[in-house]
């Protein structure tokens, strides 16, 4: 498979999804769409904060992974296999860690603002 097609179908789709989540964040707490954890679903204030924080980090890191994968595809001497998918996983993981850290810094375990 062409390395650029592979990058577009992995990292490109992730970046597109992050833009959609960023432009159209969930308005109300729900079980289908948004950054859903037990703590974020405690109240609307945490829900809005968590989704805003996650979506900003997700756009940033998925964009970086997309650009890094395009550079990697440009200089690849052989076929790309697992490298773009590692960048996808790292993008999601970093966005989750940053969001959870921000929630812990701003809200108590009971869901009250610090």
């Amino acid at each position: 498979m062409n390395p650029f097609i592979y990058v577009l179908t992995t990292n490109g789709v992730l970046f597109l999804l992050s833009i959609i989540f960023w432009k159209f964040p969930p308005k109300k707490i729900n079980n289908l769409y948004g950054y859903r954890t037990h703590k974020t679903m405690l109240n609307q204030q945490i829900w809005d904060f968590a989704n805003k924080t996650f979506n900003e980090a997700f756009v940033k890191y998925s964009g970086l992974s997309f650009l890094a994968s395009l550079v990697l595809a440009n200089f690849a001497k052989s076929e790309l296999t697992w490298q773009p998918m590692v960048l996808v996983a790292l993008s999601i993981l970093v966005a989750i860690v940053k969001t959870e850290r921000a929630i812990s810094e701003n809200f108590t375990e009971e869901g009250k603002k610090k």
Side-chain angles (χ1 to χ4, degrees):
M1 177 184 275
N2 183 330
F4 288 104
I5 300 294
Y6 181 49
V7 167
L8 287 175
T9 57
T10 55
N11 301 75
V13 170
L14 182 75
F15 185 55
L16 179 64
L17 284 174
S18 72
I19 291 172
I20 291 169
F21 288 163
W22 180 57
K23 289 288 188 185
F24 305 103
K27 305 269 187 265
K28 296 183 179 180
I29 298 172
N30 66 74
N31 288 322
L32 296 175
Y33 178 65
Y35 185 77
R36 299 178 321 273
T37 64
H38 173 70
K39 194 168 187 179
T40 61
M41 296 174 84
L42 288 175
N43 63 46
Q44 189 67 40
Q45 186 181 19
I46 298 174
W47 177 261
D48 293 337
F49 176 81
N51 279 286
K52 181 180 183 287
T53 304
F54 178 77
N55 291 339
E56 288 172 356
F58 193 35
V59 165
K60 179 180 175 181
Y61 293 109
S62 65
L64 287 172
S65 96
F66 184 43
L67 290 174
S69 295
L70 285 173
V71 168
L72 189 64
N74 191 41
F75 293 112
K77 302 251 190 264
S78 62
E79 256 190 53
L80 295 176
T81 54
W82 54 271
Q83 299 90 340
M85 291 307 290
V86 167
L87 292 173
V88 164
L90 285 174
S91 300
I92 295 169
L93 184 66
V94 169
I96 290 171
V97 168
K98 286 196 166 280
T99 302
E100 288 299 319
R101 196 172 284 159
I103 291 170
S104 295
E105 290 172 358
N106 289 286
F107 295 94
T108 65
E109 290 299 317
E110 296 80 37
K112 295 186 177 21
K113 186 119 173 102
K114 285 185 179 177

